[in-house]
Amino acid sequence: MDKRYALQEGDALVIVDMQNCFLPGGTLGINGSDRIIPPVNRTIEAFAKRELPIALSRDWHPPGHISFAEQGGPWPVHGVAGTVDAAFSPELIIPGGAVVFSKATDRDHEEYSAFLAKTENGMTLRSWLGENAVQRIWIGGLATDYCVLNTALDMLRAGYRVMVLIDAVFAVDVKDGDGERAIVEMAARGAEMVTTGQIEA
Ligand code: VGL
Ligand code: ZN
């Protein structure tokens, strides 16, 4: 029997970049990534039911962002702020209390980690975690080998306990095995690998 986890005070959920651009049909659409939507939604509902803090990050690029191929970057144009492509998936359940953090908003900087992503009012995810007295962060979303990886590593460096929801993340896998290597790296740095089904309903 897998260990079960009861959610409690000090837990927060961080869902990374569940945007149209990274889902099938998007500008950087990852084949199969939509399979994480149901486990992500179930986990959001479990946190919302207990009134535990929920953060959603989004890749929120200006036109001409440095990461775009047209600027010599590695990615097609994607996640341009305000476009439908950058919007959260219409299938994602977004509770009223969820807080949205935008990242990679500066044309000349790439920002895979959501740790310093900001709300419209300029609050960072880092400060929000502190203000909510968070101790244990449950993380899911896209993509395992980029934004989930870099966000989790920053959280681990900051001393948080990080629980990676392995059935609620999905990799780009530009190179075969990138996603697996990202999981190994997060685990090596102290992240715990759990499935959403291990959370007590
Ligand atoms: C991401 C590639 C480019 C991500 C963002 O959210 O993982 N990946 N921009
Ligand atoms: Zn991006």
Side-chain angles (χ1 to χ4, degrees):
M1 249 314 251
D2 282 338
K3 181 169 162 49
R4 316 251 334 143
Y5 294 89
L7 297 178
Q8 57 197 42
E9 283 301 297
D11 281 320
L13 178 63
V14 175
I15 297 297
V16 176
D17 298 8
M18 287 298 290
Q19 297 164 266
N20 291 325
C21 48
F22 302 118
L23 290 159
T27 49
L28 216 166
I30 308 167
N31 272 332
S33 61
D34 51 331
R35 84 167 62 135
I36 74 170
I37 294 174
V40 164
N41 278 339
R42 285 195 295 272
T43 309
I44 287 174
E45 291 189 312
F47 276 73
K49 190 173 91 181
R50 294 171 177 82
E51 298 183 8
L52 290 167
I54 301 169
L56 304 174
S57 73
R58 63 185 181 188
D59 213 27
W60 203 241
H61 298 311
H65 188 253
I66 190 177
S67 75
F68 298 165
E70 55 184 27
Q71 321 298 322
W75 306 111
V77 173
H78 67 280
V80 173
T83 64
V84 170
D85 185 62
F88 290 118
S89 165
E91 293 173 53
L92 187 71
I93 293 169
I94 306 179
V99 181
V100 175
F101 295 86
S102 303
K103 64 179 172 59
T105 59
D106 178 351
R107 177 187 300 251
D108 299 321
H109 293 101
E110 180 55 297
E111 186 179 22
Y112 289 135
S113 172
F115 200 50
L116 298 180
K118 291 190 178 87
T119 64
E120 311 264 70
N121 297 330
M123 181 183 21
T124 62
L125 177 59
R126 178 174 64 187
S127 65
W128 177 87
L129 291 165
E131 281 177 23
N132 283 283
V134 173
Q135 296 173 345
R136 184 169 66 167
I137 302 166
W138 303 74
I139 186 169
L142 303 169
T144 315
D145 37 358
Y146 290 93
C147 291
V148 172
L149 171 66
N150 286 279
T151 303
L153 293 180
D154 275 349
M155 290 166 168
L156 290 163
R157 284 184 201 105
Y160 288 102
R161 189 170 173 199
V162 176
M163 318 295 282
V164 179
L165 299 164
I166 52 179
D167 57 325
V169 295
F170 207 92
V172 184
D173 278 339
V174 171
K175 270 192 294 160
D176 240 30
D178 281 352
E180 268 314 306
R181 282 186 288 276
I183 297 282
V184 168
E185 184 176 355
M186 290 187 277
R189 306 276 195 99
E192 293 162 69
M193 300 298 152
V194 296
T195 65
T196 59
Q198 286 176 262
I199 297 172
E200 278 174 13

